[in-house]
Structures are given as C-alpha cells and as structure tokens.
Amino acid sequence: QVKVVESGGGSVQAGGSLRLSCTQSGFATRTQSWAWFRQPSGKEREGVATLVHNSKDTQTTYADSVKGRFTISKDNDKNTVYLEMTDLQPDDTAMYLCGWRNGWLTVAASLEAKRYNYWGEGTQVTVSS
C-alpha cells in the first residue's frame, strides 16, 4: 500500500523560511514523479514545484510565483522530497500537499494535479505580514 506523508508546516512572519518534507513508502521504483501543490482556502490547487527522476536524470520545475525562493530536492536514502521555502510572503499561505506517482512526467504534465495517483493529507503553511 502506497503511503505519502507530509510534515514541516507552521506559522512564520513574512520573510521567514520553512522546510517541508514528503516521504513515500510502499512502492519501490527507480522512476518517480513528485510534486508539491498548494491550495489556499477557497481556491484551486496550484502546482508549486516538481521533481521527476530516474536512475540517471533529475528534472525540477517551479511555478513562476516561487522561482528563486523555493527549492525542491530529494534524499534517495530516505525516499523523501523536501521543499525549502525562503522569503515567504502572505500569498504563500495555503495547505501544501505532496503528490506522487510512479513513472516520468514531462515538465508541463508534472504541474497537473490529475497526473498524481497518491497524495498526502497536507501540511498548513501560514505567513503573517
């Protein structure tokens, strides 16, 4: 049974930083697609950052709104993806959700929520001004 679990959310002031973690278990595969999405209250889910890899290559993608501030990375030993978020702003306030699927997604496809088979329950990030 595949399980995806996020952690690391919290409340910070504008300009602060947080690191989110997403761990997948239950399905071992060399080619994986991971994504962080966020969903502000009452709004649609938005792709934030994705990481797609196989045994040789890694592809990362960022939404324009977070480029230069957020970094996605992976610890293969822990099968965990991280989202390092810096210079957080009130507009970053949202529930952050991690999506996962087996296989390679293109840059464009990786930012589509419908492409992911498994999701965590999410972790709340709140940024105050």
Side-chain angles (χ1 to χ4, degrees):
Q1 181 180 358
V2 176
K3 194 173 181 181
V4 176
V5 179
E6 308 99 332
S7 63
S11 297
V12 297
Q13 291 190 324
S17 300
L18 283 172
R19 187 177 81 158
L20 307 182
S21 300
C22 173
T23 300
Q24 181 268 334
S25 60
F27 193 134
T29 175
R30 292 183 179 179
T31 304
Q32 305 181 32
S33 295
W34 302 71
W36 284 100
F37 284 74
R38 66 187 180 187
Q39 190 162 16
S41 180
K43 296 185 179 180
E44 292 186 359
R45 194 170 294 191
E46 170 196 25
V48 174
T50 74
L51 187 149
V52 179
H53 74 89
N54 56 25
S55 58
K56 294 182 181 180
D57 299 313
T58 301
Q59 167 191 283
T60 57
T61 304
Y62 297 92
D64 288 343
S65 58
V66 305
K67 281 180 182 176
R69 300 189 299 125
F70 291 10
T71 303
I72 189 169
S73 61
K74 185 170 185 274
D75 183 327
N76 289 324
D77 290 339
K78 297 180 179 179
N79 207 34
T80 296
V81 161
Y82 302 99
L83 185 67
E84 192 77 41
M85 306 184 295
T86 63
D87 191 23
L88 283 161
Q89 300 299 318
D91 283 349
D92 296 315
T93 295
M95 178 69 74
Y96 282 71
L97 303 110
C98 180
W100 182 91
R101 67 163 291 154
N102 175 36
W104 186 279
L105 290 174
T106 63
V107 167
S110 69
L111 287 170
E112 297 177 353
K114 66 181 181 181
R115 304 291 183 176
Y116 296 88
N117 305 114
Y118 300 96
W119 293 89
E121 293 186 354
T123 185
Q124 179 68 35
V125 172
T126 302
V127 185
S128 57
S129 57

